[in-house]
Amino acid sequence: VGTGPFILESYRESVILTYKKNPNYFKKGLPYLDRVERLIVKDYSTGLASFRTGKLDILGTTANVLNHEDAPSLRRISGVQILKFAPFTSGENIIGRMDQPPWNNINFRRAVALAIDREAWLKSIYPEGGVILSGPIPSTSPFFIPLEQLGEAGKYYRYDPEEAKRLLKESGYDGSVLTLFTTTGYGPAYLSRTELIKDILERIGIKTKIEAQEYSKWIRDTYRGNYTGGIVHNPGWSLG
């Protein structure tokens, strides 16, 4: 389909996709490979083990990239090359419904923003590198605005837990336990980050309980905004 270097030859559901070389590819002499077999490995640990033992030649896609913490050990394997790329950018988002409390209160939202130590998050979770985003536009876009160029709005991207507590008090938040929605669909590493968000929020006084939803329910309801109250740990996907 389209003008890509490979043509889908066969597909076994939930098992494998096989592609053959496109003889009419517009770039002469490419692709170098005659065919590509893409195994569907749903479990990250299984994929990692298969790569270590030589059953896979490539590990990582835009949907399931290599975890940063696994990179150092893989570098020690002879012949392994780790590529860094950012054509498809993901961000960690804490969101809520603007028509429902407590997210409809601007001081509550600002309190959450100031509670996050973005530099520490970046260094601990993404040691291989990353960029602190200043909004929905990915860092690979020519329209991306770095934090230092945001002006007055940039102050809400700094880490200031005491100011966060003050704004939380002004928001009128009553200390009730909020549901922190997340999903099992992005793997255990994603759920670990939800646990970290829970800890961050509770340090400034926001009480939460995590509801980890199956991916089908997540996409059908929560991802589309069909939930009541609470806040959501949501990945932000954007083309760079």
Side-chain angles (χ1 to χ4, degrees):
V1 178
T3 59
F6 295 98
I7 300 170
L8 180 63
E9 185 176 49
S10 64
Y11 169 55
R12 289 173 57 195
E13 186 175 357
S14 300
V15 179
I16 188 173
L17 295 96
T18 302
Y19 302 90
K20 64 180 180 180
K21 182 176 183 178
N22 182 356
N24 300 313
Y25 187 50
F26 67 95
K27 292 186 178 181
K28 298 297 182 183
L30 296 177
Y32 297 119
L33 302 176
D34 291 326
R35 60 200 307 258
V36 173
E37 294 180 348
R38 180 179 176 184
L39 298 178
I40 300 174
V41 183
K42 296 182 178 180
D43 180 69
Y44 176 81
S45 298
T46 301
L48 183 61
S50 297
F51 182 79
R52 290 183 184 276
T53 56
K55 294 180 180 178
L56 293 177
D57 297 308
I58 299 174
L59 177 68
T61 66
T62 53
N64 186 22
V65 296
L66 176 68
N67 288 341
H68 283 227
E69 61 267 26
D70 293 320
S73 63
L74 290 181
R75 282 196 181 94
R76 294 193 287 268
I77 300 175
S78 177
V80 169
Q81 182 180 14
I82 295 178
L83 303 177
K84 295 184 179 182
F85 69 100
F88 192 80
T89 307
S90 66
E92 302 284 340
N93 298 306
I94 303 174
I95 65 173
R97 286 185 52 161
M98 296 292 289
D99 61 342
Q100 295 180 3
W103 202 254
N104 61 352
N105 187 288
I106 191 170
N107 285 328
F108 185 90
R109 300 196 300 273
R110 286 173 172 172
V112 171
L114 291 168
I116 304 168
D117 188 343
R118 291 166 176 79
E119 289 286 353
W121 180 288
L122 192 66
K123 291 177 181 178
S124 62
I125 299 179
Y126 302 108
E128 291 293 309
V131 177
I132 296 177
L133 300 180
S134 58
I137 299 176
S139 59
T140 50
S141 169
F143 304 104
F144 172 71
I145 302 175
L147 287 180
E148 59 270 19
Q149 297 179 20
L150 274 185
E152 180 69 12
K155 66 181 182 181
Y156 294 109
Y157 286 84
R158 74 184 192 278
Y159 176 54
D160 191 340
E162 293 308 313
E163 177 66 4
K165 292 176 184 177
R166 186 188 71 80
L167 288 171
L168 183 65
K169 186 176 181 180
E170 286 192 5
S171 75
Y173 169 65
D174 60 4
S176 58
V177 178
L178 304 176
T179 301
L180 176 55
F181 295 99
T182 188
T183 178
T184 59
Y186 300 123
Y190 187 79
L191 289 176
S192 294
R193 297 199 294 276
T194 304
E195 291 282 356
L196 180 57
I197 290 172
K198 174 181 170 65
D199 180 65
I200 288 171
L201 295 176
E202 293 193 346
R203 288 184 183 186
I204 65 165
I206 299 176
K207 300 176 183 178
T208 62
K209 61 177 181 179
I210 293 175
E211 182 177 317
Q213 300 175 333
E214 292 294 328
Y215 191 67
S216 58
K217 176 175 175 54
W218 168 264
I219 290 295
R220 183 182 67 247
D221 296 329
T222 306
Y223 195 79
R224 296 181 178 182
N226 297 325
Y227 59 91
T228 301
I231 47 183
V232 181
H233 175 206
N234 182 52
W237 305 103
S238 53
L239 291 174

